[in-house]
Amino acid sequence: ISFSRNFGKESAMYAGFCNASGDYVAVMDADMQDPPSLLPEMLEILEQGEYDSVATRRVTRKGEPKIRSWYKLINRISDADVVDGARDFRLMKSEMKDAIVSMCEYNRFSKGIFGWIGYKTKWLEYENVERVAGETKWSFWKLFKYAVEGIIGYSTAPLKIATVLGSFT
């Protein structure tokens, strides 16, 4: 899949979901900051039939600034179930992938979508590892904008605040 420019990870993931075929779909970062060695265990869990998805979460944030975790704020004011430390690295059944594709939001927030669609997920925890190549492209402001998209997309809090502020005019 080739884009005319970099549209961001959410667009890339959506394009991958739209073009994926097979019984299972895996999502992982290309810089190897998520351990691909977990894939056999993830597949084994899915093949047992109890879960629709196996997702990963970091149990430590070693080497990252604390500001990088917005999950607590998003969960307090949203209807999505976004797990602290959750990664995009996951393996899912094709039925779950189809449900994700059917949601045609323009500004996607996959971590919110994964939790909102209601499929049963098994969480695998792992220690933070250094990426094999490159550096993060996620600046403070990019993360902030991404968090705001998640809050707006999966919360009525902005609407309630606007309503309260509107009542003063």
Side-chain angles (χ1 to χ4, degrees):
I1 301 171
S2 179
F3 292 119
S4 60
R5 68 172 179 85
N6 184 349
F7 289 94
K9 78 172 189 103
E10 292 292 341
S11 294
M13 286 171 42
Y14 182 66
F17 290 142
C18 288
N19 289 278
S21 60
D23 295 335
Y24 303 104
V25 175
V27 178
M28 65 186 303
D29 289 347
D31 63 7
M32 307 302 284
Q33 66 177 312
D34 302 310
S37 60
L38 291 176
L39 284 168
E41 181 181 358
M42 295 164 86
L43 180 59
E44 185 178 316
I45 291 168
L46 284 185
E47 287 180 335
Q48 292 172 2
E50 185 179 347
Y51 296 96
D52 304 300
S53 171
V54 180
T56 59
R57 68 178 289 271
R58 292 184 191 164
V59 292
T60 63
R61 289 240 179 253
K62 186 176 165 184
E64 288 187 7
K66 289 190 184 294
I67 196 71
R68 296 184 72 88
S69 181
W70 299 93
Y71 305 114
K72 289 178 185 169
L73 173 63
I74 291 169
N75 279 330
R76 284 188 179 214
I77 63 172
S78 82
D79 297 325
D81 179 21
V82 182
V83 173
D84 187 24
R87 307 286 301 144
D88 290 322
F89 180 35
R90 65 181 57 227
L91 183 66
M92 68 188 78
K93 293 180 179 177
S94 62
E95 295 85 6
M96 182 171 169
K97 182 263 311 181
D98 293 341
I100 293 166
V101 169
S102 73
M103 298 187 68
C104 52
E105 280 94 23
Y106 178 76
N107 290 317
R108 298 179 72 82
F109 180 67
S110 290
K111 286 182 178 72
I113 292 171
F114 294 151
W116 189 82
I117 58 175
Y119 284 80
K120 193 169 182 185
T121 299
K122 166 79 173 173
W123 288 95
L124 288 183
E125 298 180 345
Y126 72 94
E127 298 285 328
N128 195 24
V129 296
E130 276 194 47
R131 66 185 77 227
V132 173
E135 294 181 6
T136 184
K137 305 234 181 350
W138 287 89
S139 67
F140 171 82
W141 290 111
K142 283 183 182 178
L143 282 170
F144 180 75
K145 284 172 46 178
Y146 185 60
V148 169
E149 286 175 9
I151 291 166
I152 290 171
Y154 289 89
S155 171
T156 57
L159 179 61
K160 290 175 185 173
I161 292 168
T163 303
V164 169
L165 292 176
S167 68
F168 289 114
T169 58

